[in-house]
Amino acid sequence: MRKMLLIATVVLNIFSMQGFVPANQDSESDITILDRDNQATTQITDGDGLRVQVTLSQPIAQQESITFSLGETSLPAGSCVITIGNTSCTTDSFASLGWYWDPNGIAQNARIVQAKNASGELVGQSDPITIAPRPVVMVHGFISNWQAWDSYLGPQGYLASVGLHGFAIGDGQVPGVMNTGVITNPVGHTNSIAQNAEILGQYISNVKQQTGAQTVDLVVHSMGGMISRYYIDRVMQERDIAQLIMLGSPMGGSDCSVLPAALGFFLPASIEIRESYMRGVFNQQITQRKGIEFYDLAGTAINEAFKSPCTDIPNDTVVSFGSINSIPLQSSQLEVIHSDLTLSDKAFADFVKPLLQKTAGSFISSPDPAPVSQADSPLQFTRVYTGRVDPGASTELTINIEPDVAVASFALYDASRSVTTIVRGASGNVIELNAETNGFIRIDDPSSLLYLGYGFENPRPGPWKVTVQATESTPATGTDFAISVYFVGGAKLETGSSTLVPQLSENVELAASVSLNGQPLEITQAQAIIRDPEGQMEILDLSNGQNVSATWAPRRAGTHAVDIVVTALAPDGSSIERTDFLAIEVQPGLSTGQITLNLVLVIAAVLLVIALLVFLIVRGAGRLARKTHSN
């Protein structure tokens, strides 16, 4: 019997020397969670940076790989290798993203981390770790504020229903208020995307300080997506965003924004939403994601062109599905209009909620994509017609529609949302507008880029007359309006700019040509209507002919709206009007002080080089003289 006990002891010693630790000895192993300051902790917030350490009771004789997981699940929690002769190892630092949720979307307020060796045997487990969920920061869009997120906030809000705490920028929970436009002051200037991104950064920092969290989720609407992208690319110093969840954010801009911009309203934000700016400037420069995944929900309530007021189909009235997908990201669709995306319980339940409840191991580091080339819009626009109506008055506009136009779609913007329209076709008859026949839509939302929309399939060629009429609700001071019309079919305008990002005072070559059925048309009049960031307007005449051009030298830095408006002669002698809406971001030049300083530095560098050459020549001559003397 004593002999058998001796043999058993020897066998156990051999196993121990080979690095094996029996499962029933896991109490002799210590599993420790280390925070980013390398201190042991038992309390974290989902997304915090962590390391996991295992310490065995005795050194091992053979290298051992250790894998950590959350409890008895397969959800990963890092790995490390114990080398020969050591008792412990520690994982690399990682973000504990998704630790709060299990695969069924059930909150886990506490977790135990288990350690297993390469054979799958349990080495040990940690004490319970208390976990708090990540905060959710919400970012509103154009002409909006924190109240856009009322459905998400408060004890009865969407977020509270799943145990999450939401912060909407500007809500006063922590300091930070953006300016994307104030509906009561349309001529007041907004912040730029860059300026709002700085404010967003301060707000996120304040949320982190209040909650102790290291990482937040961003849930954003519309222009909030551009602001958030700028924050991630240019402002964020260390990653503090788990994921970017967007609702109707126009990654390729929206041509509907030309309506308020034509009135000089909400500058520069209304220019920065333009397709030309987003595709030609913003998307070429703002490309860093720093591992963050982008998601965007596209509203696709409108699927027929004549029912689409000012952008390509399918769309949510102002943002097209194509714009959502103009950069690589993960997109989804829902039949809802733009202004309802933050209100829709279905948008939350089917799109936002599952992303907020992602589990450990489902966060994939997203690479930075290459800049996407600017795509041509399938739509052709007339100029934006602007005017003003006083109480009890009306204004009539004439819009010519040439043959071969398959669709003509009208959009009207009125900041007071108080006017009505009467439409007479080329026959002279009044057309009764309704949703089924003309896609008539009224959007009584101050944050929307339009108020009224309607369209026509195969419209009769000739002059169409639109009367904009005041109503009883029109303000006593009157109201300004803007109308855009796009055509599918008919003539095609092509424009070009030698650069969309010139330096101050740099010559910019603007060019345009018009064709119909592939044949070039003679341009009888062409202008570039340029509005600077302060709203000051400049009109530049282009030459006449089939290919027209002009040179413009910007005198102010910032984002400029450049509308190239041309009138061409159709084969039947009628006039064809087309407009392209460019956005050009003028870079600031060097100040006099900077130029002087640079000049001083250049002169100093030249003098230093000359002095060094003289020193080398004198030194070489001295050596040669000494050598000659010694000979």
Side-chain angles (χ1 to χ4, degrees), residues 51-331:
R51 295 196 300 161
V52 182
Q53 183 180 76
V54 58
T55 303
L56 304 180
S57 59
Q58 55 189 1
I60 65 170
Q62 181 175 310
Q63 181 171 291
E64 186 72 84
S65 296
I66 304 296
T67 301
F68 301 97
S69 61
L70 297 181
E72 297 180 354
T73 71
S74 59
L75 297 177
S79 63
C80 63
V81 175
I82 305 177
T83 55
I84 297 172
N86 290 307
T87 60
S88 70
C89 68
T90 306
T91 67
D92 292 334
S93 179
F94 64 92
S96 57
L97 292 169
W99 279 35
Y100 185 73
W101 300 102
D102 75 2
N104 297 315
I106 299 175
Q108 302 296 307
N109 296 310
R111 288 282 198 183
I112 292 175
V113 175
Q114 291 187 343
K116 294 181 180 179
N117 60 24
S119 301
E121 296 173 307
L122 184 63
V123 173
Q125 63 183 26
S126 71
D127 292 331
I129 307 155
T130 302
I131 304 177
R134 292 187 307 274
V136 179
V137 171
M138 292 166 286
V139 188
H140 62 77
F142 183 61
I143 325 178
S144 189
N145 56 45
W146 67 271
Q147 292 174 313
W149 300 105
D150 278 348
S151 296
Y152 281 70
L153 294 168
Q156 305 302 318
Y158 294 145
L159 294 177
S161 70
V162 291
L164 296 176
H165 187 181
F167 295 81
I169 185 167
D171 62 3
Q173 292 190 71
V174 298
V177 180
M178 299 191 312
N179 177 10
T180 60
V182 180
I183 190 60
T184 55
N185 183 26
V187 296
H189 290 292
T190 71
N191 289 341
S192 65
I193 289 175
Q195 290 168 330
N196 280 322
E198 292 284 350
I199 296 168
L200 173 60
Q202 296 164 11
Y203 188 87
I204 292 171
S205 178
N206 292 334
V207 169
K208 288 161 53 181
Q209 183 176 8
Q210 183 182 107
T211 63
Q214 297 172 18
T215 307
V216 304
D217 284 308
L218 280 183
V219 178
V220 308
H221 180 234
S222 195
M223 194 177 193
M226 292 100 102
I227 295 167
S228 298
R229 280 180 58 195
Y230 194 99
Y231 166 73
I232 291 168
D233 184 290
R234 297 287 176 89
V235 181
M236 185 177 72
Q237 298 300 308
E238 61 176 2
R239 178 173 175 176
D240 55 15
I241 305 301
Q243 54 192 337
L244 175 57
I245 303 171
M246 297 179 277
L247 303 175
S249 289
M251 298 293 93
S254 171
D255 275 326
C256 303
S257 65
V258 304
L259 290 161
L263 297 170
F265 288 178
F266 312 112
L267 301 178
S270 58
I271 304 176
E272 292 178 320
I273 303 175
R274 284 190 173 194
E275 283 202 9
S276 173
Y277 180 80
M278 283 302 299
R279 295 178 187 270
V281 179
F282 191 89
N283 288 346
Q284 306 306 310
Q285 300 177 0
I286 308 302
T287 59
Q288 292 188 84
R289 302 191 179 185
K290 300 175 182 175
I292 298 167
E293 292 178 275
F294 288 6
Y295 301 88
D296 206 345
L297 178 63
T300 52
I302 297 180
N303 290 278
E304 297 173 89
F306 76 95
K307 294 182 178 181
S308 173
C310 44
T311 191
D312 194 21
I313 55 172
N315 63 65
D316 63 9
T317 63
V318 295
V319 177
S320 70
F321 186 67
S323 177
I324 293 287
N325 290 279
S326 63
I327 64 170
L329 47 68
Q330 299 183 54
S331 66

Side-chain angles (χ1 to χ4, degrees), residues 3-25:
K3 185 175 182 179
M4 291 177 65
L5 289 173
L6 180 60
I7 292 172
T9 301
V10 171
V11 171
L12 286 174
N13 286 338
I14 291 172
F15 273 94
S16 179
M17 289 175 62
Q18 293 301 313
F20 291 95
V21 179
N24 62 6
Q25 291 190 12

